[in-house]
Amino acid sequence: MAMVGLFWITPDAVYVGSPPNAVGSRVRLTGDGPEAVDPDGSRAWTWEGLRSAVVEDVPVEGPSGRASKLLGAVVSAAVGAFTGEGPPEMTLRLETDNGPERVTVYAAVAGYGAEETALSQELLARFVAGTAHPRTLEAWGRDHAPQGTPKPPERESLLRTWARA
């Protein structure tokens, strides 16, 4: 599994934020559109039925830097597993033909860098516009996700390539 921007990529799936948590909550991006599963049930949308998709309340990287952020996220997740506190929450806001929809997603890290966040938002917009496809991330995941999360410059390069391809 690998984190690239606001996406968690496995060899067979792409998620917004973190992968499914202990109770199965998740937002998976498929070729057809986003699929949300949470304690209240499941919902799905098509890319064609969306006007926009934006992740709000993204936790930002602190001034202490990326290395400590990643270590802090790992420690925070471990502590959260024992205390019942989860990772930071974000909101996936979808504008549909029937009005706005909001879905809670969980951050994969304690804070994201500004460039990765902006590029991730751009990529989500391209999914909605039909000018990019989650299959590209899935294909990368099959070949590279088992090696783990790439370093920040490589993540930004991947997002730039995917968002502007």
Side-chain angles (χ1 to χ4, degrees):
M1 298 185 290
M3 182 201 73
V4 178
L6 300 177
F7 307 104
W8 190 262
I9 305 170
T10 71
D12 60 352
V14 177
Y15 301 95
V16 176
S18 65
N21 63 22
V23 294
S25 293
R26 60 149 171 94
V27 174
R28 182 177 180 190
L29 302 179
T30 72
D32 295 328
E35 299 175 344
V37 175
D38 57 31
D40 297 327
S42 63
R43 297 172 280 171
W45 302 267
T46 63
W47 294 117
E48 295 81 20
L50 295 177
R51 294 183 185 152
S52 67
V54 177
V55 181
E56 300 175 333
D57 309 316
V58 176
V60 295
E61 181 177 87
S64 59
R66 292 177 170 158
S68 62
K69 174 188 71 173
L70 186 56
L71 177 60
V74 171
V75 170
S76 188
V79 169
F82 290 106
T83 65
E85 295 176 18
E89 291 183 355
M90 304 183 293
T91 302
L92 176 61
R93 182 179 43 85
L94 304 170
E95 292 295 330
T96 74
D97 293 334
N98 299 322
E101 297 272 351
R102 295 186 186 285
V103 182
T104 298
V105 295
Y106 298 96
V109 295
Y112 294 92
E115 184 70 10
E116 281 189 83
T117 299
L119 290 166
S120 297
Q121 302 282 21
E122 183 180 340
L123 187 54
L124 273 172
R126 297 231 18 240
F127 292 157
V128 172
T131 58
H133 203 282
R135 281 191 299 254
T136 304
L137 284 68
E138 290 172 356
W140 180 88
R142 280 189 294 280
D143 294 336
H144 302 284
Q147 285 84 39
T149 297
K151 301 269 187 227
E154 184 180 349
R155 295 194 308 260
E156 290 174 10
S157 177
L158 284 166
L159 287 165
R160 202 171 281 109
T161 299
W162 296 335
R164 299 191 177 134

